[in-house]
Amino acid sequence: MYRNVCCVVAFVMAAAPASAQDADISKLREEVRQLQQQVEQLEKRLQEAESKAGKTPEAAVPPQPAVAPAGTRTGSSAFNPDISLILQGTAARSSQDPDTYQITGFAPSGGEVNPAPRGFSLGESELILSGNVDPYFRGQLVAALTPENEIEVEEAFFQTLALGRGFTLKGGRFLSGIGYQNEIHQHVWDFQDAPLPYKAFLGGKFNDDGIQLRWLAPTELFLELGAEFGSGRLFPATNNNKNGANAWSVFGHVGGDIGASMAWRAGLSYLEASPQDRAFADGNSIQSFSGESKLWVADFILKWAPNGNASVTNLKLQGEYFQRKESGSLTFNDTFADAYSSKQSGWYAQAVYQFMPRWRAGYRYDRLDHGTVDNGIVTSGVGPTAADFPLLLTDYNPTRNTAMVDWSPTEFSRLRLQYAQDKSRVDLTDNQLLLQYIMSLGAHGAHGF
């Protein structure tokens, strides 16, 4: 310790300017001398205390453990993933029967697109396990526990941590990166249900089994490109039991900041699938489509928070536009078959404003355009007529208006009141009112932009 003090003295003397006044130097020397005396007194007291305790004056310092590599878990958590549980439920009232829900002009997707059941209902509970496998990979499992006492795997994937050069590889089952909302889990949505375009074109959401490659550009402006190849197990595709990919997609996102209070992101995505015998009910008939389905999605998001502080007030504007083209053949009751093609579109726009801490209000408008449909079975004039296709052959354009207000006592709980005027079904207006709860238990990762 005495040598350390001497080093301090040498450093102080060397650091003093050559032109320093003699009085200042003398003052510094006197302070150093006093410090030396204090150190000597402390060392003497330490030796006396160690002698009484039976210890040697210079105790060995135990070696320090090596620092674990980045991404490696240590201690009791080395083999334990982070676990979280999401609990959801609703109390709903609607003027039309949710069990007969269909979107006029669009083939049913078979996905979870119906409004919330009437009365009290348990929503999907999500069990999430995630963690780093080693310094090179991480894994995540999202299991949906349905009200029907079934377990569905929503996501189960691995993801690279050290691929380098801005690349990330993901494999397994995962929510596709197309669009904006598709990759966001339902409990994080700003409204209880998905927008109409997601219901009509993706069955609510698109999660596939396959691989995904992303590249993040090393630029100040956020730029991300990605590609996916999958089995096409869900709408708009079908599982064709063949080798290779039955659905593939590409997407790109760009974004940045506008000053200290605003941030934005825009994206363009493309999804192509090859469904075979994609069956659905239309009136009293069973129809099936085989061919190609091509979907474009454009998205834009703008966020505002005063000086970047979103804790008091903030505003989020979000919108997406969908356009789908399908071409192939349509079969009617396994009896008639002919060429079929369609070009349809839809969009939604929403705004959510936090007007005071913990309280938000939002409004969303959805619209679908039935577009143009060419049904060879009808135009041939030798079989069923347009009246036999009440769902597909229509001039009706579904719309919906939704308003909500929610309260979040903490980041782990939320209560939401939502009202919707749903005109998805021709000549019917469904007034829907619901109260929703969302509770989060355990560790939960940060959400995306």
Side-chain angles (χ1 to χ4, degrees):
M1 184 177 296
Y2 181 79
R3 289 195 299 270
N4 292 339
V5 174
C6 292
C7 291
V8 172
V9 175
F11 176 80
V12 172
M13 296 292 291
S19 59
Q21 300 296 324
D22 293 341
D24 293 336
I25 295 176
S26 300
K27 183 178 180 180
L28 288 174
R29 286 175 176 169
E30 179 62 21
E31 291 179 355
V32 170
R33 187 185 63 80
Q34 294 176 2
L35 287 174
Q36 289 174 345
Q37 292 179 351
Q38 294 177 7
V39 170
E40 291 173 354
Q41 293 174 0
L42 289 173
E43 286 182 337
K44 183 177 180 181
R45 291 172 57 187
L46 177 62
Q47 291 175 358
E48 293 175 354
E50 287 177 340
S51 299
K52 293 180 180 180
K55 296 181 180 179
T56 59
E58 297 290 337
V61 178
Q64 299 296 319
V67 178
T72 303
R73 291 169 173 261
T74 59
S76 61
S77 64
F79 303 100
N80 297 327
D82 293 330
I83 301 176
S84 62
L85 180 64
I86 308 297
L87 304 178
Q88 301 183 81
T90 57
R93 180 184 181 89
S94 56
S95 58
Q96 304 295 332
D97 187 357
D99 295 334
T100 62
Y101 180 80
Q102 283 186 325
I103 302 176
T104 301
F106 295 82
S109 63
E112 299 173 356
V113 300
N114 288 19
R118 287 169 165 170
F120 296 98
S121 175
L122 179 67
E124 278 193 353
S125 301
E126 291 184 357
L127 180 62
I128 305 171
L129 291 83
S130 63
N132 292 343
V133 179
D134 51 34
Y136 308 101
F137 298 97
R138 68 178 294 267
Q140 178 168 303
L141 168 69
V142 181
L145 314 177
T146 70
E148 294 77 26
N149 299 322
E150 298 176 347
I151 300 178
E152 298 177 358
V153 178
E154 185 171 291
E155 288 191 298
F157 62 82
F158 72 88
Q159 188 175 29
T160 60
L161 295 174
L163 204 56
R165 298 187 181 275
F167 286 96
T168 302
L169 181 67
K170 182 187 292 186
R173 178 174 297 179
F174 50 86
L175 293 170
S176 173
I178 62 173
Y180 175 73
Q181 182 162 305
N182 189 79
E183 206 169 17
I184 301 175
H185 287 274
Q186 193 266 344
H187 68 273
V188 191
W189 292 352
D190 294 316
F191 296 84
Q192 186 269 339
D193 50 2
L196 285 181
Y198 271 95
K199 293 184 177 185
F201 298 123
L202 295 173
K205 62 178 180 291
F206 186 66
N207 63 328
D208 205 2
D209 297 348
I211 59 172
Q212 178 196 82
L213 181 65
R214 287 180 186 254
W215 176 68
L216 183 62
T219 57
E220 184 175 344
L221 184 71
F222 172 77
L223 175 61
E224 176 191 63
L225 301 176
E228 300 169 342
F229 298 89
S231 64
R233 66 185 191 94
L234 295 176
F235 187 90
T238 55
N239 193 340
N240 296 341
N241 189 25
K242 71 173 187 179
N243 296 321
N246 190 38
W248 63 274
S249 64
V250 292
F251 55 86
H253 300 120
V254 62
D257 296 330
I258 305 175
S261 301
M262 299 181 68
W264 63 277
R265 202 198 84 167
L268 185 64
S269 308
Y270 175 77
L271 169 65
E272 183 171 321
S274 302
Q276 297 294 320
D277 298 323
R278 192 181 69 196
F280 59 93
D282 186 355
N284 297 321
S285 66
I286 299 297
Q287 303 166 27
S288 62
F289 170 78
S290 299
E292 289 187 344
S293 179
K294 302 176 180 180
L295 176 67
W296 288 93
V297 184
D299 62 84
F300 181 77
I301 300 90
L302 179 68
K303 293 185 177 182
W304 170 84
N307 296 318
N309 181 10
S311 61
V312 180
T313 60
N314 63 79
L315 175 66
K316 178 182 178 183
L317 303 178
Q318 174 183 330
E320 297 185 70
Y321 174 80
F322 294 68
Q323 185 182 90
R324 182 182 67 186
K325 294 182 179 180
E326 291 191 329
S327 60
S329 63
L330 186 68
T331 302
F332 183 89
N333 281 342
D334 292 328
T335 304
F336 298 92
D338 211 322
Y340 174 87
S341 64
S342 65
K343 180 181 179 181
Q344 300 176 302
S345 62
W347 61 275
Y348 77 92
Q350 67 183 52
V352 177
Y353 177 58
Q354 179 173 304
F355 54 91
M356 61 183 298
R358 304 176 184 175
W359 286 91
R360 306 187 310 161
Y363 169 77
R364 182 180 67 194
Y365 178 76
D366 313 358
R367 181 180 174 88
L368 295 172
D369 188 343
H370 75 280
T372 58
V373 177
D374 186 5
N375 190 332
I377 297 177
V378 175
T379 56
S380 67
V382 295
T385 64
D388 297 308
F389 298 87
L391 184 62
L392 292 186
L393 298 182
T394 178
D395 292 332
Y396 185 70
N397 296 322
T399 62
R400 184 175 60 170
N401 292 275
T402 308
M404 75 84 186
V405 59
D406 61 31
W407 174 59
S408 303
T410 68
E411 60 179 309
F412 303 104
S413 60
R414 172 167 291 171
L415 298 176
R416 173 180 292 135
L417 181 65
Q418 177 174 306
Y419 170 77
Q421 187 182 70
D422 192 339
K423 296 183 179 181
S424 299
R425 291 172 273 192
V426 62
D427 298 329
L428 292 176
T429 298
D430 189 7
N431 295 303
Q432 305 162 356
L433 181 66
L434 64 84
L435 179 64
Q436 179 190 20
Y437 68 83
I438 305 172
M439 305 292 164
S440 176
L441 293 80
H444 200 68
H447 299 135
F449 178 78

